[in-house]
Amino acid sequence: MSELTQKENPNLSERVLESVERIGNKLPDPTVLFIVLLFMVWIVSWLLSYVPFDVVDPRTGEQLLVNNLLTGAAVTEFMSVMVTNFAHFHPVGVVLVAMLGIGVAEHTGFINSALRAILNKTPQLLLTPVVILAGIASHSAADAGYVLVIPLGGVIFYAAGRHPLAGIAAAFAGVSGGFSASFLPSSLDPMLQGLSQAGARILDPAIVLNPLNNYFFTMASSFLIIGLGWYVTEKIVEPRLKNTRLDGSLEDLPTMQPLAPNERRGLQAAGIVFLLGAFILIATAWPASSPWRDATGELTSGTAPLMRSIVSLIFLMFIVPGTVYGIVAGTITSSRDLIAGMTKAMHQMAYYLVIMFFIAQFVYAFGQSNLGVLLALQGAAWLKALAMPSYLTIVGVVFITAFINLFVGSASAKWGLLATVFVPMLMQLGISPDLTQAAYRVGDSSTNIITPLMPYFPLVVVYCQRYVKNAGIGTVTAMMLPYSIIFLVTWTAFLLLYTLSGLPLGIQSSYTFP
């Protein structure tokens, strides 16, 4: 009898998952969590404002004082800047601009056809790594991988005579387990960078981080995730699934439709336009007198127009080829279709805007209170007293993040909270915000695939039930647990080796502070 049918004797992984789900369901929504934290900051700032601390503020060289945020002046100031806090909160604008272009590319079918083109031409030997690669490539298209690549992974494995749940597992590992591994920039890059910068400015108000400060590391991580996912799928997961009987409604399963002639023409035209755009960018940036360079002739400095235009370039990278695809393929009939794609993308960002409003208020209050500086300085003093090597501190950030990820699914919510503590604390230990953010990304990605609190986890269960009726949360967790453990351990080791190598984490990145 298959393990899937032995529900009366749940295994250890299922019992652990049930406990995690039960505890996690008692937590409030992340938005409510930040509202509660905001009130806590107000109350704690009031209480600690009467406590003297023998700590020197590195920004002023004077004794650090906690500011009471419940005074009349502080309350009225908070009310007067509430709108500004949100409107000027760095992650909001950059993510929305990037999503406008991505929304058009999704709406016209450009992203859908591009991923199907990749998967349709995959030889049997490379089926697993290409499915994982498609999952990683989908990171540039927000949530497209969850609704497109994961179900297609099952379809193409089934069509190839392999177990479809192994295809779903491989795709899920690429889309979600390797969420911070990417060959192309995505909206996640500026979002995390903005929160890291907000945390870093608690100690250094003038610091500026590049949106692609982890890009080289995440690109290198893509090869690692593909290799690890390939090994786990074919050596651990698929052999375990061999005796799992398929009893779903197989006649109703979706099929991998080949590209229609209009879709093929659209992709060809979009590819030509994309390459033409890349050539124009390179040609205009190459000359020493290029307007993309800063006053000193640098392309990668913080003041260079090229670096300040990263988000705008991501926007154009999707909207222009997506529009050309739609015109040639016939999926765009009028300008209204472009606006509809952007509008749909903004609808999908509604929850993000709600939570970012409260994160912006929390970050402002946390900074104004000096609680973040106090935590950073006291925490740094404690870590220094432990005299741990910096690499152990980085490992601690990875594993703490991985644990918290089991209960709080939103990447922006977690980092909005953790960045205000981890970033300035590790800055006091000489570790840069760029490296701290990279450590967070490793921990955040690795446990996405084993927590039912991740919004798309139930959807993956439904995908599995198309093939195996009795598949449930425990099924998916037991299937994905090997990926999660191996990703977490190996990716952390890879981060440490990458750091020791001295290779740049990304553009304008560093390992140490200052």
Side-chain angles (χ1 to χ4, degrees), residues 42-195:
W42 287 339
I43 295 171
V44 172
S45 72
W46 164 58
L47 295 174
L48 294 186
S49 65
Y50 298 102
V51 179
F53 293 96
D54 188 20
V55 178
V56 176
D57 189 335
R59 302 167 299 177
T60 64
E62 300 177 355
Q63 182 182 13
L64 179 68
L65 300 175
V66 174
N67 295 320
N68 182 0
L69 299 185
L70 292 182
T71 64
V75 171
T76 53
E77 177 64 17
F78 178 81
M79 296 296 291
S80 67
V81 299
M82 184 182 291
V83 174
T84 305
N85 290 341
F86 178 54
H88 292 182
F89 197 46
H90 182 75
V92 175
V94 295
V95 172
L96 293 184
V97 170
M99 283 303 301
L100 287 173
I102 292 171
V104 170
E106 285 184 304
H107 188 70
T108 61
F110 170 58
I111 292 175
N112 185 310
S113 295
L115 291 176
R116 282 166 51 212
I118 294 173
L119 295 175
N120 265 319
K121 295 183 178 180
T122 304
Q124 277 283 346
L125 179 64
L126 300 178
L127 190 63
T128 301
V130 170
V131 166
I132 299 171
L133 171 62
I136 291 174
S138 73
H139 296 160
S140 295
D143 296 334
Y146 291 103
V147 297
L148 177 64
V149 178
I150 295 177
L152 283 181
V155 170
I156 63 174
F157 265 55
Y158 177 73
R162 299 174 61 179
H163 203 290
L165 264 61
I168 290 174
F172 192 21
V175 171
S176 195
F179 189 62
S180 279
S182 182
F183 291 105
L184 295 174
S186 70
S187 59
L188 183 66
D189 293 305
M191 181 185 71
L192 294 181
Q193 170 264 337
L195 294 170

Side-chain angles (χ1 to χ4, degrees), residues 148-440:
L148 177 64
V149 178
I150 295 177
L152 283 181
V155 170
I156 63 174
F157 265 55
Y158 177 73
R162 299 174 61 179
H163 203 290
L165 264 61
I168 290 174
F172 192 21
V175 171
S176 195
F179 189 62
S180 279
S182 182
F183 291 105
L184 295 174
S186 70
S187 59
L188 183 66
D189 293 305
M191 181 185 71
L192 294 181
Q193 170 264 337
L195 294 170
S196 298
Q197 182 169 286
R201 286 184 172 177
I202 292 175
L203 279 187
D204 184 357
I207 195 170
V208 176
L209 304 181
N210 192 286
L212 298 182
N213 61 336
N214 288 160
Y215 177 61
F216 299 144
F217 173 70
T218 58
M219 182 170 60
S221 296
S222 300
F223 296 100
L224 176 72
I225 293 302
I226 291 171
L228 292 176
W230 190 356
Y231 173 82
V232 173
T233 301
E234 299 195 357
K235 298 299 182 181
I236 301 176
V237 173
E238 197 163 13
R240 178 179 173 274
L241 292 170
K242 281 185 178 179
N243 296 325
T244 301
R245 185 170 57 90
L246 302 179
D247 58 2
S249 302
L250 302 182
E251 67 277 4
D252 297 328
L253 291 174
T255 57
M256 266 274 291
Q257 297 292 338
L259 292 176
N262 65 314
E263 292 175 322
R264 193 174 295 108
R265 290 193 300 270
L267 277 182
Q268 291 172 348
I272 292 172
V273 169
F274 179 83
L275 293 175
L276 179 61
F279 173 78
I280 292 173
L281 179 62
I282 294 171
T284 56
W286 191 270
S289 59
S290 169
W292 290 112
R293 299 178 182 270
D294 66 10
T296 64
E298 293 291 328
L299 276 175
T300 58
S301 70
T303 58
L306 180 63
M307 292 298 99
R308 292 162 54 198
S309 303
I310 290 293
V311 177
S312 301
L313 291 173
I314 293 174
F315 168 77
L316 293 175
M317 183 174 69
F318 285 98
I319 194 171
V320 175
T323 301
V324 170
Y325 171 89
I327 293 172
V328 175
T331 57
I332 290 180
T333 58
S334 71
S335 59
R336 291 189 178 91
D337 293 318
L338 297 179
I339 305 303
M342 295 183 189
T343 303
K344 182 179 178 182
M346 292 301 100
H347 284 166
Q348 296 170 347
M349 299 303 292
Y351 177 75
Y352 172 79
L353 289 175
V354 172
I355 192 172
M356 292 309 285
F357 173 79
F358 291 103
I359 289 177
Q361 310 312 323
F362 166 76
V363 169
Y364 169 81
F366 200 64
Q368 290 295 109
S369 68
N370 277 340
L371 290 174
V373 180
L374 179 63
L375 280 172
L377 296 176
Q378 297 284 50
W382 179 72
L383 287 175
K384 287 179 180 178
L386 291 178
M388 290 194 306
S390 59
Y391 70 88
L392 285 181
T393 305
I394 292 299
V395 171
V397 171
V398 172
F399 279 82
I400 290 172
T401 301
F403 176 74
I404 294 175
N405 193 40
L406 295 172
F407 305 98
V408 183
S410 170
S412 58
K414 284 192 300 293
W415 194 227
L417 172 63
L418 296 178
T420 55
V421 177
F422 281 157
V423 170
M425 180 190 299
L426 269 65
M427 286 168 68
Q428 284 292 297
L429 297 176
I431 297 173
S432 72
D434 306 307
L435 180 54
T436 304
Q437 179 181 295
Y440 166 79

